[in-house]
Amino acid sequence: MKLLKIDAWYIDPQNLSLLNKANLVVVIVAVLISAHAFYEGNKEPNIINETIYSSKISRNLRIVQISDLHITRATSNDRILSIVNKVNMHNPDIIVLTGDTIDDNIRLIQDKVGLLSSLSAPYGIYSVMGNHEFYNDVYAFKRAIENIDIKFLFNGGVHIANSNIYLAGRPDFSTMFERRYMETSSSF
């Protein structure tokens, strides 16, 4: 049975030559997409400098935001340390990890997350929850980062010393309706 007539050949389920070619195209496209995803997931993160001006900010502070590290068992220690060194080279006053720091069971990557202890900022290092922390036991993640002196902002906030800046941390939108995460911490 002919499904589609195109000059000298047609799509026919019994035409194994055409099906083999189609399968080959699908495999090649899948390999290319996978290679691109691997490249994007392992390249050094982009650094974007933004300056925020406001008469309401009482002093200049350098804040470095790190997002979507997605640390897994496959993430090399060298990659994490490279990111830590790049961040520290900016001499930040404050560092904020804005979610998806991990993408694996924290118990299996605790040593890798521990490498973040080399981050340095005189006014503190803070973290908020992303959906990947939620998927991978947010409470275990909270304990792990607090053990390396990163403050976890969870429905709460903190006043930055010697400034009129207040950092607030809210969970990822995907956890918004999870009743167990709806309570506000006492610091908020």
Side-chain angles (χ1 to χ4, degrees):
M1 174 176 126
K2 295 180 183 179
L3 298 177
L4 178 63
K5 178 94 168 129
I6 301 176
D7 291 331
W9 59 272
Y10 55 89
I11 297 175
D12 180 350
Q14 294 178 352
N15 183 350
L16 296 181
S17 173
L18 179 62
L19 292 175
N20 285 339
K21 289 175 186 172
N23 285 339
L24 180 61
V25 168
V26 168
V27 168
I28 290 170
V29 169
V31 167
L32 290 174
I33 290 171
S34 297
H36 178 70
F38 181 79
Y39 169 76
E40 289 294 326
N42 288 296
K43 73 178 185 179
E44 288 293 317
N46 294 333
I47 297 173
I48 300 169
N49 293 306
E50 295 286 339
T51 303
I52 299 171
Y53 299 99
S54 172
S55 61
K56 296 179 180 182
I57 298 175
S58 63
R59 61 179 295 221
N60 292 335
L61 290 172
R62 184 178 300 256
I63 301 172
V64 172
Q65 176 205 1
I66 308 169
S67 180
D68 296 286
L69 290 177
H70 292 277
I71 297 171
T72 68
R73 286 169 269 184
T75 307
S76 75
N77 290 353
D78 289 341
R79 181 171 191 272
I80 298 168
L81 291 172
S82 173
I83 292 169
V84 166
N85 290 334
K86 275 188 173 182
V87 168
N88 287 340
M89 283 184 357
H90 283 82
N91 298 314
D93 296 305
I94 300 166
I95 298 172
V96 184
L97 302 167
T98 55
D100 293 352
T101 302
I102 63 168
D103 201 0
D104 205 339
N105 183 324
I106 188 66
R107 290 165 190 84
L108 301 174
I109 59 169
Q110 204 152 359
D111 58 327
K112 293 180 182 294
V113 172
L115 297 173
L116 298 176
S117 67
S118 297
L119 289 168
S120 177
Y123 290 100
I125 304 164
Y126 304 90
S127 178
V128 297
M129 180 175 88
N131 61 320
H132 290 263
E133 285 80 19
F134 172 67
Y135 302 146
N136 291 293
D137 189 354
V138 68
Y139 295 112
F141 173 73
K142 177 182 185 293
R143 286 189 300 275
I145 64 167
E146 286 179 342
N147 283 339
I148 57 172
D149 294 323
I150 296 176
K151 295 161 195 73
F152 190 64
L153 301 179
F154 189 81
N155 278 341
V158 63
H159 174 256
I160 303 300
N162 302 317
S163 76
N164 62 345
I165 295 176
Y166 189 85
L167 287 179
R170 296 282 299 160
D172 180 81
F173 182 77
S174 65
T175 64
M176 180 186 238
F177 300 106
E178 286 286 326
R179 187 161 201 71
R180 61 187 166 181
Y181 299 125
M182 296 304 285
E183 297 166 8
T184 303
S185 75
S186 59
S187 64
F188 196 60

